[in-house]
Structure formats: C-alpha cells, structure tokens
C-alpha cells in the first residue's frame, strides 16, 4: 500500500459530492418531509377540532331538545289548565243556564197554573151559578149576587 | 492474465491486488509505482461512478419531492433520509447545514463502494483485460488512499468546524490546558507542550483509525474472496482446452446456481440435503480426476465459495458503512461541542 495522488483526487471528489448533497439533495427531501409532517399534524389537529365541535354541537342540540321538551311540557300543562278552566266554566255556565231555564220554566208553569186556576175558578163560579140557577129554577142575577159569587170564587 | 504459463496462486493474488495506475508526470500507465504523483485510476473511477450512482438515485427524488402522497421510490429515499437524520440527531446536537447531508452521502457512498466487493473477483478484471486494461481493482475502499482521503476530509472539516463553533481561544485552551491541569501558572506553562503533544496524537488518531478501519475490513474481505478464488485455480483449464469449454462454463455456472438454490429453497432432506451434496461430490470428483471440463470445476467452486463468504460479508459491508457514517458525525459533534 502506497499513498499517492489518489488521495488528493478523492478529497476533491468527496468535497464536491458533499457540496452537491448539501445543496441539491438533502434540503428538498427534508423540506418535503417536514412539510408533509406539518400537513399531517394540521390534519390531525383539524380532525380533533372537528370532533370537539361535533361533540359541542351534539350537546347543544341535546340542550335545545331538552329545553324544547320542557317548554312543550309547560305549554301542555297550561293548555291542560286552560282546558280544565274552560270545561269548568262551561259546566258552571251550563248549570247556571239550566237553573235559569228551570226557574223560567217554573215561573211559566206557575203562571200558567195561576191562570188555569183563575180560569177554573171563573168557570167554577159560572158552573156554580148555572147549577144554582137550575136548582133554583130561576135566574140568578150575577150582578146582584156579585159579592156573594166573588166570595165563593175566593173560597174555592 | 499477465503471467505466462500456468498461473500460480501467488501470481493470481498479486495480479488482483495491483492497481491501474497513471503517472501524472509522464501521463503513462505504470505498474506498482512508488512515486507520489501517481493516481490509481481504477479506485477513482469506481468511486466517482458510485458517487454518481448515489446522485442519480437521490437527486431525481429531491427535484420532484413533494409533501403530497409519496410514490414508492420517494418513500424509499425518504426512509433512508429519515434513518440518517435520526442518527445525526442522536449524535449531533448543534444546528448545521452540512453534517446531515454529509452523513447521508457518506453512508450510501461507502455502502455502494463496499458492495462492489460482492461482484465476482474475476468478472470485471477479465472484462477489462479483454479491452486491453491489464489491472483493475474494482473495490475503492480496499485502497487506503480512498478511505484515508475521506477520513482526512472529515478531519479537516472537524478542524475548521471546531474553530468555527468554539473560536480560537477555546480551541487553544483545549489544546494546551487539557488533559493535565494545574493550579499555578508555572505548572500550567510546563504542562503545555505535553498537553499539546497528547492533543495532536488524539486528533491524528481519529482520521487514521476512521480510514484504516474501513480499509482493513474491506481489504480483508477482498483478500478472502481472492484467496477463495485462488483455491480453485488447480481446477482451471489449461490454456489449450479453454476455448472448447465455453459451453461447459455456462452449464456449470447454472449447476452451481442450482445447487445454491437447492440449499437455500429446497424442501425436505432430499432436495435440501442429499441432492445438492451429491451434485457437489460429483463435480468435485469429476474435477479432481479430470473427467469434467476443468474450467467448469473452477467456476463451480468459485460461485459456491463466493456465495458463502458473500452472504457473511454482507454484514461487514453494511456495518462498516454504518460505522463510518456514525463516526463521521460523532467526530464532527466532538469538534463542535465544548468538553
């Protein structure tokens, strides 16, 4: 083994290759790799964020649904109450109407009964006078015995 | 082969260990020159070729690199880059523009250069001989010039980088006041030369060990391949029958590949055990007693031996490339950090 000028030639070759690698090979490859790593990291982060947002949206939706359900319950409750009130009012109204109609009817009945009774009384008086005329065989002057007849009618 | 007559294993091995050299003063191809102004053309040619291989594998990806979904080749390059980047981040804690790219280059360049060792030892030299090139060593790391030049470059970069990162004052302090420290100024001055000598030895040992480690491993691996090939020389064809055995060469090469395949993929004790062993015995006996064309025997053994050692050598190839890269980064890190 002898050392010769190959040494110098090879040092030059080595330095040129190192320079070339340093200038044209290493940086683009590493840059691409780092950029890809960054993209992947960004993508993962975005996915995480999206997942969190989805979870948030879900909770919000759940809250909304819960709130809506509560509101609906309140509305139904109120509607029920109103319905009860309406039914109650209707019942009271109906009862009052019924009572009123009953009272009117009773009053009518009483009136009619009064009238019928008065009529009957008059007819009874007439009948009584006619009966008495038949019995007595003569005419009873209604005017003459008016006081008597009135007394009779009142007595029936 | 340069040698006339029957080839001895010594000549064969020497032939394989001779560089293709160019004398820079006379511009002539020389052999075994001891002058300094000589270039081993084969080492430089193959290292440049493999450096270009690295460039053409990685540069297209770098030019079209996009942060979108990577295609297959881009993914592979990115995995490699990521691997080197991780290694550099483990060992090197400063920000630097050149350390990581240099580690990437060093790893793949040394790996590709080491992989040349797996080519059959005779393939390219024989091809070169056909076009009139007498010697060819295709394994650059088995040339100390190559490995030492790389480690020296690393050393020079470390030297410059330590000044760049720490400044003259701190570098001088580390060189003259450590490892022996003293309380009073006179003792400090007395210890200065000793400290400096130790520092120089320490710093010089780094590039030497870095370069010689790679050289030693790859040289030893190459020599083992050559020795295994030299073992088969006695089964090689005498010159006068060689041209008639061209067909036998391919038949035996195919047979050798088939045997290796049986060992590797055969099922059961017949296909995996007895059949390839019987094939081996038949070829061995045939070669020994001259029943078979002799070049066939040589090829057969070379492929078997080289495959066996090659599988093991893979480990060394990858490991040495890795070690060279890690130590390069570590030395640069030591140069940059205050300690």
């Amino acid at each position: 083994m002898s050392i010769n000028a190959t040494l110098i030639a090879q040092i030059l070759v080595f330095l040129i290759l190192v320079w070339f690698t340093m200038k044209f090979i290493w940086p683009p490859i590493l840059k691409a790799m780092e950029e890809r790593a960054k993209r992947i990291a960004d993508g993962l982060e975005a996915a995480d964020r999206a997942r969190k947002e989805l979870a948030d949206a879900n909770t919000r939706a759940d809250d909304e649904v819960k709130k809506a359900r509560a509101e609906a319950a309140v509305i139904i409750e109120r509607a029920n109450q109103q319905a009860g009130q309406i039914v109650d009012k209707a019942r009271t109204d109906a009862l009052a109407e019924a009572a009123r109609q009953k009272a009117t009817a009773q009053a009518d009945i009483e009136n009619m009964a009064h009238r019928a009774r008065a009529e009957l009384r008059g007819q009874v008086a007439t009948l009584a006078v006619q009966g008495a005329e038949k019995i007595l065989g003569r005419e009873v002057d209604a005017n003459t015995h008016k006081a008597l007849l009135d007394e009779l009618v009142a007595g029936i | 082969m340069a040698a006339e007559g029957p080839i001895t294993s010594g000549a064969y091995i020497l032939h394989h260990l001779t560089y293709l050299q160019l004398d820079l003063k006379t511009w002539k191809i020389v052999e075994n020159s001891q002058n300094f102004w000589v270039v081993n053309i084969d080492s430089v040619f193959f290292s440049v070729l493999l450096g270009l291989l690295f460039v053409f594998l990685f540069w297209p990806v770098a030019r079209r690199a996009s942060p979108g979904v990577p295609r297959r080749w881009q993914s592979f390059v990115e995995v490699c880059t990521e691997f080197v980047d991780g290694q550099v981040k483990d060992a090197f804690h400063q920000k630097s523009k050149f350390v990581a790219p240099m580690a990437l280059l060093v790893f793949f360049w040394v790996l590709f250069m080491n992989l040349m060792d797996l080519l059959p030892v005779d393939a390219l030299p024989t091809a070169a001989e056909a076009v009139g090139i007498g010697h060819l060593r295709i394994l650059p790391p088995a040339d100390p010039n190559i490995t030492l030049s790389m480690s020296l470059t690393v050393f020079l970069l470390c030297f410059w980088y330590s000044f760049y990162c720490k400044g003259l004052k701190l570098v001088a302090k580390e060189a003259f006041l450590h490892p022996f420290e003293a309380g009073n100024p006179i003792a400090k001055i007395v210890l200065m030369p000793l400290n400096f000598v130790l520092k120089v030895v320490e710093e010089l040992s780094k590039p030497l060990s870095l370069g010689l480690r790679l050289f030693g491993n790859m040289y030893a691996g190459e020599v083992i391949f050559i020795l295994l090939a030299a073992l088969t020389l006695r089964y090689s064809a005498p010159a006068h029958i060689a041209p008639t055995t061209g067909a036998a060469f391919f038949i035996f090469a195919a047979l050798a590949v088939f045997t290796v395949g049986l060992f590797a993929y055969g099922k059961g004790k017949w296909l995996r055990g007895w059949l390839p062993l019987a094939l081996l015995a038949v070829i061995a006996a045939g070669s020994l007693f001259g029943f078979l064309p002799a070049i066939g025997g040589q090829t057969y053994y070379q492929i078997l031996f080289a495959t066996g050692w090659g599988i093991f050598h893979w480990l060394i190839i990858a490991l040495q490339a890795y070690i060279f890269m890690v130590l390069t980064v570590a030395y640069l890190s030591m140069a940059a950090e205050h300690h």
Side-chain angles (χ1 to χ4, degrees), chain A residues 109-128:
Chain A
I109 290 169
E110 233 153 88
N111 272 349
M112 281 198 305
H114 253 291
R115 218 178 299 142
R117 214 179 283 148
E119 224 167 272
L120 272 177
R121 258 189 217 132
Q123 283 176 353
V124 167
T126 316
L127 276 177

Side-chain angles (χ1 to χ4, degrees), chain B residues 266-279:
Chain B
K267 291 242 161 65
K269 84 181 160 190
W270 278 99
L271 280 181
R272 186 167 220 154
W274 298 119
L275 187 58
L277 281 180
L279 276 173

Side-chain angles (χ1 to χ4, degrees), chain B residues 43-77:
Chain B
S43 298
V44 174
F45 173 77
F46 281 108
S47 65
V48 169
L49 192 75
L50 295 164
L52 289 179
L53 176 67
F54 166 80
V55 167
F56 286 116
L57 288 182
F58 279 68
W59 195 28
V61 172
R63 274 170 52 189
R64 277 180 281 128
S66 74
V69 179
R71 274 175 302 179
R72 248 181 297 179
W73 184 243
Q74 192 188 340
S75 301
F76 175 72
V77 166

Side-chain angles (χ1 to χ4, degrees), chain A residues 1-11 13-15 17-18 20-22 24-30 32-36 39, chain B residues 21 36 38-40 44 47 54-55 59 62 65-68 74 77-78 81 85 97-98 100-101 105-106 109 145-146 149-150 153:
Chain A
M1 73 180 244
S2 56
I3 299 299
N4 55 32
T6 312
L7 197 73
I8 297 165
Q10 182 71 3
I11 285 177
V13 172
F14 188 36
L15 284 177
L17 281 174
V18 167
F20 189 87
T21 311
M22 185 179 115
F24 298 110
I25 292 180
W26 184 266
I29 295 177
L30 212 70
M33 280 162 63
E34 273 164 6
E35 219 162 287
R36 184 176 318 119
R39 272 192 199 181
Chain B
Q21 291 180 318
F36 181 77
V38 166
V39 169
N40 300 339
V44 174
S47 65
F54 166 80
V55 167
W59 195 28
S66 74
Q74 192 188 340
V77 166
E78 281 179 5
T81 312
D85 198 36
K97 269 203 287 191
F98 78 92
L105 169 73
V106 160
W109 199 20
N145 288 303
I146 298 294
S149 70
M150 293 175 79
T153 314

Side-chain angles (χ1 to χ4, degrees), chain A residues 26-62:
Chain A
W26 184 266
I29 295 177
L30 212 70
K31 194 172 148 247
M33 280 162 63
E34 273 164 6
E35 219 162 287
R36 184 176 318 119
K38 195 174 162 292
R39 272 192 199 181
I40 291 171
D42 285 355
L44 288 178
E45 199 186 319
D48 267 357
R49 214 166 39 225
R51 206 173 300 136
K52 209 173 286 165
E53 269 168 24
L54 182 66
D56 279 0
N58 275 339
T59 12
R60 254 203 320 271
D62 280 354

Side-chain angles (χ1 to χ4, degrees), chain B residues 90-155:
Chain B
D90 278 350
F92 192 82
H93 305 296
Q94 271 81 24
K95 274 189 82 75
S96 164
K97 269 203 287 191
F98 78 92
V99 173
M102 191 164 127
L104 181 76
L105 169 73
V106 160
F107 179 68
F108 282 98
W109 199 20
V110 172
L111 183 69
F112 291 157
M113 289 200 287
N114 289 356
L115 280 171
M116 293 301 281
D117 210 359
L118 292 180
L119 290 178
V121 283
D122 277 322
L124 289 183
T126 311
E129 225 166 313
V131 296
I133 296 172
H135 298 280
L136 192 71
R137 292 189 63 178
I138 60 166
L139 182 63
D143 181 350
N145 288 303
I146 298 294
T147 61
L148 284 176
S149 70
M150 293 175 79
S151 61
L152 271 178
T153 314
V154 172
F155 170 70

Side-chain angles (χ1 to χ4, degrees), chain B residues 294-312:
Chain B
I295 196 174
Q298 186 189 17
T299 309
Y300 194 82
Y301 289 127
Q302 277 207 19
I303 290 177
L304 274 182
F305 290 165
T307 306
W309 171 237
I311 289 167
F312 181 68

